Amino acid sequence: MKRDSVADLDVTGGQQRAAWQRRDAPPVERLRTDLWSIPVPMPDNPLRYVLVYALAGDSGLTLIDAGWDDDVAWTALVDGLATFGATPEDVRGVLVTHMHIDHVGLARRLHETSGAWVALHPADAEGLADPDYRIRERAAKADRRWFRSLGASTEQADALIAAMGPHDTRSSQALADRLIEHKQSIRLPGWTVTAIHTPGHTPGHLCFYDEESRAMFGGDHLLPRITPNISAYRDPESDALGDFLQSLDDVSQLEVSEVLPAHEWRYRKVAVRVEQLKKHHEARLSEVLEAVRRHGSTVPWELAAELTWSRPWESYDGLLQIAAIGETAAHLGHLRRRGLVSVTDESTPRYRAL
Ligand SMILES: [Zn+2]
């Protein structure tokens, strides 16, 4: 993740931004008569909170995202709902922007409490259900293969698996009981929103567009300050960055009055943000291409340590390193699509400039 200038965006989440600067949690906010934003804390994470949106109608609530899966987060969500007289029993469904645990995490408890349906794009629903994701031993095996394909030695791959620690909550995450496709119009109590498939951060990332107010629930696709991690997750053949850039273009076709993101703060001027994000990745593509030229032939594992990151490479722990190496691989994969680098040895792809 990389920080960008927010000076050019029109910040509407003023209280959220002020709380961020104080290193504090923002308040629950009523954004319209039928819409609330509830910050749900994330443990030991620099993003600090995920913003859960509660959409109200006569026959109950729909949430956009659910929050991290632990007791502190659950209490914050329950308390947040209580500020406007609601309880988890009122939740009819959860629209999940993407499969990451800070977004889908509490969906399981909501489903168990009220029977709420859980909806995702098919690609992320499949990702959540994949035994190579849910079952710890299988996930470790798949990750080891992935790290080796990125150029890690066996020892480096094993060290990283150990550093990643247990991810026991994965096996208990909710499974989707509804699937949402691109451009699907979703009728909710009191609301109709349109799903916009915005792959990149994950293959099945969704934004939700309210045609009436033209507000965009942006998930992690359109954060105001940081660029979301774009990773060639376990698949060197994928073009996650190409997908992300296309998703940015798709969003900029829409008239968006305000972005309601899943982290940080609300803002206007989405077109400015889209341009900033594209510029960031073009600069990074140039930097990666230059580095490949210097090496003659290289692998993401080697290259990532030489690139510019928001903090010194040495200070990155295992998880941040793998995010950065995955991101480097995504840039290499996209340079390959653009015909600027070629690959030798498909099992551990080595990249060389053309
Ligand atoms: Zn997130």
Side-chain angles (χ1 to χ4, degrees), residues 168-182:
D168 298 331
T169 60
R170 278 196 195 176
S171 58
S172 58
Q173 294 308 305
L175 294 169
D177 43 22
R178 291 193 186 184
L179 298 177
I180 299 173
E181 303 282 352
H182 180 48

Side-chain angles (χ1 to χ4, degrees), residues 102-103 220 263:
D102 48 330
H103 301 263
D220 285 1
H263 304 281

Side-chain angles (χ1 to χ4, degrees), residues 1 42 47 49-50 97-98 100 102-103 201 219-220 223 262-263:
M1 299 226 184
M42 298 161 64
L47 284 173
Y49 54 86
V50 59
T97 59
H98 62 293
H100 290 160
D102 48 330
H103 301 263
H201 182 51
D220 285 1
L223 300 175
H263 304 281

